[in-house]
Amino acid sequence: MATERTTASTSIVTLPNLVSTSRVALGFGFLVADAVPVRFALIAIASLTDVLDGWLARRTHAASRIGALVDPVADRFFALCVVVGYVAGGSLSAWQALALMFRDVMSIVGWFVARNVSWLRPITFKARLLGKAVTALQLATFLVVLFAPTWTDAMVWFVFLVGAAATIDYTLMLWRERATEPR
């Protein structure tokens, strides 16, 4: 049984990874769809897959380093597709798009910094509560744009503020971890 778990956790092609990567197809689907019911369905399915992939990884003992990377990349790709689709359709302005994606941009910058600063390389990046909250709020904002557009500005500001807090949280976590890692 231990061999099975090891094999599952080191394999790239696992059910949780397939569920995660489905958000890439959903993102492309969002870009070509313009009907509200279809866009709603794509956002709903993407939200469900975001919960399902982690649950499956834990339940089937298929959690892996690859999966830990695939999941957030798929999240960011889907969010980017939705934001681009909304900007192209005039539902979001450029400043709203930047505010919604602030945490994502900062995460990418942080990842590159961590990969290029030797004393940060050994640190394991893990999902944090505020980061998960930003993703949930982004998905909620995508629905607000569809069904309650007058609330869009307020939601965008809320996502931006929680995203800024998440960025600070990740930065402080890295700083604390850095202090405990041998150089």
Side-chain angles (χ1 to χ4, degrees):
M1 192 70 163
T3 307
E4 221 173 274
R5 286 183 183 175
T6 303
T7 304
S9 66
T10 58
S11 176
I12 293 174
V13 182
T14 63
L15 183 57
N17 289 352
L18 292 172
V19 171
S20 291
T21 57
S22 73
R23 288 193 293 283
V24 172
L26 294 169
F28 282 125
F30 194 91
L31 287 172
V32 298
D34 58 1
V36 170
V38 174
R39 284 187 161 184
F40 169 70
L42 291 168
I43 294 167
I45 293 167
S47 299
L48 290 173
T49 65
D50 194 23
V51 173
L52 184 61
D53 59 10
W55 181 82
L56 283 169
R58 288 184 299 278
R59 182 91 171 163
T60 63
H61 306 287
S64 67
R65 291 182 74 174
I66 294 291
L69 181 63
V70 168
D71 178 49
V73 168
D75 288 344
R76 304 298 50 91
F77 184 82
F78 180 78
L80 180 63
C81 287
V82 172
V83 168
V84 166
Y86 280 154
V87 169
S91 298
L92 286 178
S93 67
W95 82 263
Q96 290 171 320
L98 290 172
L100 278 173
M101 300 302 290
F102 172 78
R103 184 277 315 252
D104 304 314
V105 170
M106 296 309 295
S107 294
I108 292 167
V109 169
W111 186 84
F112 278 110
V113 168
R115 292 292 137 275
N116 290 300
V117 175
S118 62
W119 51 270
L120 287 175
R121 278 190 215 129
I123 296 172
T124 303
F125 290 85
K126 295 178 185 168
R128 313 254 313 151
L129 184 59
L130 279 173
K132 289 179 182 233
V134 173
T135 300
L137 288 169
Q138 283 174 327
L139 291 166
T141 302
F142 299 157
L143 293 175
V144 164
V145 171
L146 282 179
F147 298 114
T150 57
W151 286 92
T152 300
D153 276 345
M155 284 298 291
V156 166
W157 277 109
F158 191 46
V159 171
F160 173 77
L161 292 173
V162 176
T167 301
I168 292 167
D169 180 52
Y170 277 106
T171 303
L172 292 175
M173 183 271 309
L174 283 175
W175 191 255
R176 284 188 301 269
E177 291 290 319
R178 177 240 5 124
T180 61
E181 292 291 331
R183 290 190 198 176

